[in-house]
Amino acid sequence: MLSTCTAFILSKTEIITNAHCVAGAPYIYVVAGTKVALEKNLIKVEKGRFAYHPHYNESIFGAFDIAKITLEKPLEFSDTVGSIKLVDKDYKLNNSSEVVTVYGYGVLNNIRPITLRRCDAKYIFDVKRANIFNPFQTLYFTTGDSTKDGEIITAGDSGGPVVSKTNGKIVGITMGISGTTGGRGMFLPITLFLDFIHDPKSVKPIPPSLTPNEVKFIADIVVQPKFLTAYNEDYADTDENFQLQFNAIILSETEILTCAHNVHGAPYVYVIVNKLTSNTKTIKVTKDQIEIHEKYAFPGLTFNIAKITLKEPLEFNDNVGSIDLVDKDYKMNDPSEMVTIYGDMELGGSVRTRRYDTKYLDGAKCKTELDDLFDANHLMCYTFDESMGNPCAFGGPMISKKNNKLVGMTIISLLDEPVIFQPIAPLLDWIQKPRP
């Protein structure tokens, strides 16, 4: 007996399903044009003709769980075999009353042969489960009245199409089920994967996690959110052991640089160095060791910088070291200059320390895109490729590829918008002045 998944046809040679339905298989079989999934008229597809998303990770449930199958011989379209269109990239799943139709070959009550079923459903966003599944990829739908054969969401429905009853186009791909049969199903919004569907090779692989030596100048700041001015209301009811983690930059054996909002209001924080090795060192830092720029005012973003002075110097080695600062006269006025951003970035539910190269944008463009949030006199921004992960590297360094020196520090990132950073050169006097 073959393991069954559902899929949908885009063209005579293109089929879409879940990555977990094909990942690791030397070959698969495709059958089209039948309501009953019988093991005959199967089309064998070798491994080289199906590709799953390069960011897919089988250990992270639901992350980038999509695959494309390219047939060697085109299907013959007929009354029972045909294609369906996808929604456009700007389609928004923002109407909780909209009804979708879900199709699948899932096994129901262990009854065989397996029959294609469908049901109408509404989609929701389950806030309570947002910490389990990536909320920017995974949405839920609740099953409605199904046709004849009972509830739709069962084993085997994975990879099936979620079709809008408004426009008759694919809006999602079924990924799995939360709870028991007939419970909430989960699907991936198809708009996030249009680039992959049209050209799987166009999606960049995930940047690998960096080695300890590559990030020896990066430290982490760990703090309980209830202490922080920027977070205490949001996390007021969380367990006291719950902590937030931010990035920081090692300037010398006794000096650490980070964002002001990473430490503002906290009576103490922890600094972690050598974090990617078994010799990680955690240092408790009290409020008297933290200096916040005198012009910083929450919730503003300008002068969002803080310096930590350690009581005991760090021991520099192959995995712990510092980064040089640019000179005071350094000008960020060349839009073609490449810089490298370092920090912890989330992708598919997994946070890793990564780097990526980018270009910075001039203040006028940032101001246009970010409006009043952006102060073009003190801040700059850079574009971020969302396929590389969501940046959570507040306090992470930006290093010039031209001179290998620190030119900026990430302040804040907003989904689908430029990432704001603080140029270092205008703040050198403050950074380098001795503590009072």
Side-chain angles (χ1 to χ4, degrees):
M1 179 62 67
L2 300 177
S3 176
T4 304
C5 277
T6 307
F8 54 89
I9 301 169
L10 288 183
S11 72
K12 292 182 177 181
T13 58
E14 297 173 304
I15 294 174
I16 301 297
T17 189
N18 279 144
H20 74 256
C21 295
V22 302
Y27 56 86
I28 59 172
Y29 291 102
V30 171
V31 60
T34 176
K35 182 178 179 181
V36 180
L38 300 175
E39 293 178 17
K40 61 181 182 180
N41 301 321
L42 301 179
I43 304 169
K44 187 175 183 179
V45 181
E46 300 289 346
K47 181 179 180 180
R49 301 199 70 85
F50 51 86
Y52 48 89
H53 200 287
H55 299 172
Y56 171 69
N57 185 335
E58 62 182 5
S59 66
I60 305 174
F61 181 70
F64 302 94
D65 195 356
I66 187 169
K68 182 177 182 180
I69 302 165
T70 303
L71 302 178
E72 185 175 5
K73 183 179 178 180
L75 296 170
E76 291 186 12
F77 280 4
S78 64
D79 290 342
T80 58
V81 179
S83 61
I84 189 167
K85 293 183 178 180
L86 307 174
V87 289
D88 299 328
K89 201 167 187 175
D90 59 356
Y91 176 82
K92 301 294 183 184
L93 286 162
N94 56 7
N95 182 358
S96 59
S97 65
E98 182 176 349
V99 177
V100 293
T101 302
V102 189
Y103 297 81
Y105 282 100
V107 178
L108 183 66
N109 298 325
N110 204 29
I111 297 175
R112 297 178 185 274
I114 302 169
T115 303
L116 179 66
R117 294 170 292 111
R118 72 171 183 268
C119 78
D120 290 341
K122 294 181 180 181
Y123 60 79
I124 61 172
F125 174 60
D126 191 329
V127 177
K128 292 182 180 180
R129 290 183 173 88
N131 62 330
I132 302 175
F133 305 107
N134 184 343
F136 300 112
Q137 285 197 47
T138 309
L139 294 176
Y140 291 79
F141 51 77
T142 53
T143 52
D145 294 330
S146 58
T147 59
K148 299 181 181 179
D149 300 302
E151 299 291 355
I152 190 73
I153 312 303
T154 68
D157 290 324
S158 294
V162 180
V163 181
S164 168
K165 290 185 73 70
T166 302
N167 56 35
K169 296 180 180 181
I170 296 282
V171 298
I173 177 171
T174 303
M175 186 189 67
I177 181 171
S178 171
T180 59
T181 299
R184 291 177 177 174
M186 293 171 289
F187 72 93
L188 302 179
I190 209 71
T191 54
L192 297 178
F193 302 100
L194 291 178
D195 290 341
F196 168 79
I197 290 172
H198 295 315
D199 181 10
K201 294 182 179 179
S202 68
V203 180
K204 300 175 183 177
I206 299 175
S209 296
L210 301 179
T211 66
N213 178 262
E214 289 176 297
V215 294
K216 63 182 182 180
F217 47 82
I218 299 180
D220 276 356
I221 302 294
V222 178
V223 61
Q224 292 184 23
K226 66 180 181 180
F227 292 141
L228 293 179
T229 306
Y231 298 95
N232 56 13
E233 292 184 6
D234 295 335
Y235 294 93
D237 298 326
T238 57
D239 185 278
E240 64 179 11
N241 294 320
F242 180 74
Q243 297 176 322
L244 292 176
Q245 191 160 327
F246 307 103
N247 287 137
I249 306 160
I250 301 174
L251 297 182
S252 71
E253 288 92 337
T254 57
E255 296 174 306
I256 307 287
L257 200 67
T258 192
C259 298
H261 76 261
N262 292 348
V263 296
H264 191 259
Y268 61 88
V269 302
Y270 292 97
V271 174
I272 298 177
V273 297
N274 207 11
K275 64 175 185 170
L276 298 184
T277 75
S278 58
N279 297 319
T280 296
K281 185 175 183 179
T282 302
I283 307 163
K284 186 175 182 179
V285 173
T286 54
K287 187 176 181 180
D288 61 296
Q289 296 172 254
I290 302 172
E291 182 182 5
I292 293 176
H293 199 289
E294 59 273 11
K295 292 185 179 180
Y296 172 71
F298 178 80
L301 300 178
T302 58
F303 303 102
N304 192 343
I305 190 168
K307 185 167 67 173
I308 296 170
T309 302
L310 304 178
K311 293 181 178 179
E312 298 291 333
L314 297 173
E315 183 178 332
F316 279 7
N317 54 46
D318 289 343
N319 300 324
V320 180
S322 60
I323 187 74
D324 292 333
L325 304 173
V326 290
D327 300 328
K328 193 173 181 179
D329 59 357
Y330 176 80
K331 302 295 183 184
M332 304 185 82
N333 55 7
D334 181 0
S336 66
E337 181 178 350
M338 297 297 296
V339 291
T340 302
I341 312 300
Y342 293 80
D344 295 333
M345 301 170 206
E346 186 274 335
L347 187 58
S350 175
V351 176
R352 306 181 197 176
T353 303
R354 301 186 178 100
R355 68 164 178 259
Y356 63 96
D357 294 338
T358 187
K359 296 178 181 179
Y360 54 80
L361 305 175
D362 61 54
K365 184 165 185 178
C366 297
K367 181 68 175 177
T368 300
E369 297 195 32
L370 298 172
D371 199 27
D372 293 338
L373 182 67
F374 188 79
D375 181 347
N377 294 320
H378 301 95
L379 303 170
M380 295 190 74
C381 61
Y382 57 88
T383 56
F384 192 85
D385 184 349
E386 289 295 334
S387 71
M388 306 290 272
N390 294 322
C392 49
F394 306 150
M398 167 190 282
I399 297 175
S400 169
K401 292 183 73 69
K402 182 170 61 177
N403 56 32
N404 201 36
K405 294 183 178 182
L406 184 72
V407 297
M409 180 177 67
T410 300
I411 296 296
I412 193 171
S413 60
L414 302 172
L415 191 65
D416 297 328
E417 291 183 345
V419 179
I420 301 172
F421 72 91
Q422 170 68 65
I424 290 297
L427 299 177
L428 277 180
D429 288 344
W430 183 86
I431 293 172
Q432 295 175 335
K433 75 175 182 179
R435 290 208 65 180

